[in-house]
């Protein structure tokens, strides 16, 4: 996933109250990390494939996954945010809920005042 797109998705998820962060998994491997309440993390789209999928990790071990979402290679920003927000991580093979849960209180954007400095002024 492109870094600027990932930042926009993270910001939109945080506005909905989803605890999302930018995931830097390697050189040019950028994705979205969603922290789950029970200590697990869902790492979305760090493998440069065109569709959305995720691995659910706990203490560095794979404990579940989200299979590739059909048609997600053509999703716009709003559809991507909705797909991540609607995911139900309760089972090892996660599934999409019919409707997204109601938005929670918004979280502050990552980086705060220093965001543009930390990102090297690349954000558009």
């Amino acid at each position: 996933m492109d870094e600027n797109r990932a930042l926009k998705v993270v910001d939109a998820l945080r506005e909905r109250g989803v605890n999302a962060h930018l995931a830097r998994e390697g050189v040019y491997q950028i994705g979205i990390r969603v922290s789950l309440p029970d200590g697990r993390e869902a790492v979305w789209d760090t493998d440069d494939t065109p569709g959305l999928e995720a691995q659910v990790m706990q203490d560095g071990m794979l404990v579940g996954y989200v299979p590739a979402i059909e048609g997600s290679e053509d999703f716009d920003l709003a559809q991507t945010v909705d797909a991540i927000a609607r995911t139900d991580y309760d089972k090892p093979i996660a599934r999409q809920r019919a409707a997204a849960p109601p938005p929670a209180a918004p979280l502050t954007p990552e980086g705060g005042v220093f965001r543009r400095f930390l990102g090297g002024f690349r954000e558009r």
Side-chain angles (χ1 to χ4, degrees), residues 34-105:
V34 176
S35 298
L36 303 172
D38 59 357
R40 296 177 299 155
E41 296 179 325
V43 182
W44 286 87
D45 231 22
T46 58
D47 57 0
D48 291 334
T49 57
L52 277 176
E53 75 281 330
Q55 297 81 35
V56 181
M57 310 290 283
Q58 185 168 25
D59 298 326
M61 300 290 293
L62 182 69
V63 295
Y65 71 97
V66 180
I69 298 172
E70 190 174 327
S72 62
E73 56 274 355
D74 298 321
F75 280 5
D76 63 7
L77 182 69
Q79 291 171 314
T80 302
V81 170
D82 182 61
I84 293 173
R86 282 191 305 122
T87 302
D88 181 9
Y89 302 98
D90 289 340
K91 297 190 179 187
I93 301 175
R95 61 180 179 80
Q96 296 286 304
R97 295 181 184 108

Side-chain angles (χ1 to χ4, degrees), residues 1-61:
M1 182 177 284
D2 175 69
E3 184 174 5
N4 287 323
R5 179 176 170 82
L7 277 170
K8 290 176 185 174
V9 171
V10 166
D11 287 344
L13 286 167
R14 291 183 71 82
E15 285 175 11
R16 290 179 74 159
V18 177
N19 193 8
H21 310 278
L22 190 66
R24 297 180 190 274
E25 298 295 315
V27 179
Y28 301 115
Q29 289 182 317
I30 308 285
I32 297 137
R33 180 181 316 278
V34 176
S35 298
L36 303 172
D38 59 357
R40 296 177 299 155
E41 296 179 325
V43 182
W44 286 87
D45 231 22
T46 58
D47 57 0
D48 291 334
T49 57
L52 277 176
E53 75 281 330
Q55 297 81 35
V56 181
M57 310 290 283
Q58 185 168 25
D59 298 326
M61 300 290 293

